[in-house]
Amino acid sequence: MTGDLVIYNARLVDRDMDARGSLVVRDGRIASVHPGADGMPEGDGCRGGDGCPGGGQCIDARGAVLMPAFIDLHAHFRDPGYTFKEDLETGSRAAVAGGYATVVCMANTNPVVSSPEAAAAVRERASRIGLVDLYQAVSLTRDFDGLDTSHLSSIDPALVPLVSEDGREVASPSVMLAAMSACARTGAVVSCHCEDPSLTDGARALRAEALSSGAAGFAGDGTEGRPGPDARALECLSAAGEILARAEDSMTARNLDLAREAGCRVHIAHVSTARSLSLVRQAKFASRDATRAGFRVSCEVTPHHLALTDALPAIVNPPLRPQSDREALIDGILDGTVDAVATDHAPHTLADKAGGAPGFSGIQTSFSVCYTALVRSALIDLSRLSALMSANPAAILSLPRGLLREGLDADLVLVDPDGEFVVGTGPGDGWESRGINTPFAGERLFGVVLATFRHGLLVYRRSDSTAVNIV
Ligand SMILES: [Zn+2]
């Protein structure tokens, strides 16, 4: 049992609300929400000092934004097996520093997570660390063998809400259909990493040539001190990008077709092209057909595909895309095709990055990147971003959280929307992930995460924050 926590003088923002007010937490859940009340909530709330019910905590938010904590549908904490890149503890610390209290970790660890028991073991270790509520995805085929899907029938979606082969594609359509059919029976969401494996070798060769010609050029990619990319490097990266766009689009089409046939819940991970997004849009429309019982479509986009374009010569899968694709993703947010922002947090060592390992360490900067690129620039409002980062991911995972609503889990984040900071990965910069491979290093971002709460308990507080009085 925990005592009450009262947060007052806040700007309460979720999918459905943007109002000054206060919120009361009891026993890890939101006990009451008081929009419109600027000071202490009446009656049920804190009366300060000894009058504080349950001897609980009172926080004067001093006008800061209180939102539901963020929920990441897609992260790589690299544990077990690659803990030199990240582990459950460093990943959890980075997550809460980014305002996340729920994280789904992908199965491409060593060993691959291919059973409910192995997933439960990771979840149990994360719960002992006690920072985030970690759900471990199980692979679609056993040990990524591309064949065996027999383990999927024993999955309980309450414990493993999402399964995925992320990091690679299931090449065989019949195996993918078998996996999706098994998940249609259990109700688990199938998250698809759409990338035609027959095309990736060509792209890999082009990227290798680009790397030997000086790509890529951002701090934290392991190429510091090398000369910048030459014309040939940029040409190779662009050619690789085109191949990987075809690889994404063809498998997005295939996976949506197979999911429709299986009648499963399908989630398209890291959508990055206009074409793939339009395929998702059509499939969502088709899924409203009542004869397609069980077929439900959702998709995610990453902060880096929303904020960056292929003008940055970086190596990530899917690749950074031309501005026209980026604009299509933003249109997809506006028309509701895009359900979620998911980080695809992919920490690597600098040596691995220098060798061409794809991906960015992004869970800590996700909110600020999206806030700066989308909300600060007035493309969307903060309620829409909250829907993308909290309410919609919670609905996809069927978790009772993601809104500021009585009875839901008190997973909360306090942010200063006008606060600015420069992303730093050095000692003393507050960078928590073991992977410093961020393309945003040195960038000035808006939207500072001040504090994160899970089930009403403080799991993160920004050390240099004086804006909010947190006892
Ligand atoms: Zn992926």
Side-chain angles (χ1 to χ4, degrees), residues 15 71 73 338-340 384 386-397 402:
R15 183 192 66 193
I71 298 171
L73 294 171
V338 172
D339 298 276
R384 176 80 72 149
S386 180
L388 294 166
M389 296 186 69
S390 301
N392 298 349
I396 289 166
L397 298 173

Side-chain angles (χ1 to χ4, degrees), residues 188-253:
V189 176
V190 180
S191 175
C192 292
H193 168 110
C194 300
E195 184 184 10
D196 185 338
S198 70
L199 293 172
T200 47
D201 280 353
R204 199 175 295 119
L206 283 161
R207 280 176 165 177
E209 189 180 345
L211 276 171
S212 66
S213 306
F218 65 84
D221 67 357
T223 59
E224 231 152 337
R226 291 197 205 172
D230 63 17
R232 177 64 193 151
L234 296 176
E235 222 172 85
C236 289
L237 279 184
S238 157
E242 279 171 34
I243 291 173
L244 291 172
R246 287 205 299 282
E248 178 175 344
D249 295 344
S250 63
M251 281 296 155
T252 301

